Every structure is written in C-alpha cells, then in structure tokens.
Amino acid sequence: GLYFGPVTLVVVIRAGSLLPANALFSQLFKLRPLTRDDYLGTLVTISGVICFSIFGGSPAASPKSGEFLAMMVTTAAWVCNLLLIGVLLLSGLVLLLPHNDDLLT
C-alpha cells in the first residue's frame, strides 16, 4: 500500500491516522468518553488527509547526488542545520540541569 507511495502522502496519512486511531481505541477499551471536540477534531483530521491526498499533486523528481550535495552546502542549509544542532544541544542542556518544581506551581 503506502510503501511505494510518495513520502509526502505517506507522512500525511500516517500522521493523520493517529488521532482517529486514538479515538477509536479509547472507545474500544473504554478509557474515556468522546466529547464534541474529539468528534470535530477527528472529522477535521480525516477531511484534511483526504483533501491533501486529492489536491497534493505529484511530487517533484528526486535530486541527483550532485544536486543534493550542492544543496547541502548552501548558506540556507548551513543555517538550518546549525539551528537544529543548537536546539538539540540546548534541549539536552535543559534536560541535564537540575529543575526546581517550585517554578511550576
């Protein structure tokens, strides 16, 4: 099924199926009753996945290895990667620092 589909479509369908699956299993295992917001969220999610599937269009051709390497050394790629590494290091630092539970109350 989705193994041979374009990555954008597979990601949207996979991510979009989580909310309806959670709602379904919460009902099957009687974990909590569904509220109006749960029904609306599930309906909007399913509608969004269907719309994306219909109107998403065909994906662009994959870049060749030379084109990919040329894109990876652009200034935008460096900035994006350095920003992501910075966020990763900052989050690791936050996890390692002792936290004070009094700040949350």
Side-chain angles (χ1 to χ4, degrees):
L2 293 177
Y3 179 74
F4 295 107
V7 172
T8 54
L9 180 63
V10 172
V11 168
V12 167
I13 290 176
R14 182 186 57 85
S17 64
L18 291 178
L19 178 69
N22 286 339
L24 174 71
F25 284 113
S26 71
Q27 289 303 295
L28 288 177
F29 295 120
K30 302 208 185 300
L31 296 176
R32 68 179 188 87
L34 289 180
T35 64
R36 178 183 59 93
D37 292 342
D38 294 327
Y39 288 117
L40 287 175
T42 301
L43 180 67
V44 167
T45 302
I46 291 172
S47 300
V49 168
I50 291 171
C51 286
F52 186 86
S53 302
I54 293 172
F55 303 116
S58 59
S62 298
K64 305 287 185 243
S65 63
E67 295 170 338
F68 178 75
L69 291 175
M71 286 188 290
M72 289 305 295
V73 295
T74 61
T75 304
W78 277 101
V79 168
C80 181
N81 286 328
L82 289 173
L83 183 67
L84 288 173
I85 290 171
V87 168
L88 173 69
L89 294 174
L90 184 63
S91 7
L93 181 66
V94 167
L95 289 175
L96 291 176
L97 291 177
H99 57 70
N100 188 356
D101 289 335
D102 293 338
L103 295 176
L104 300 175
T105 55

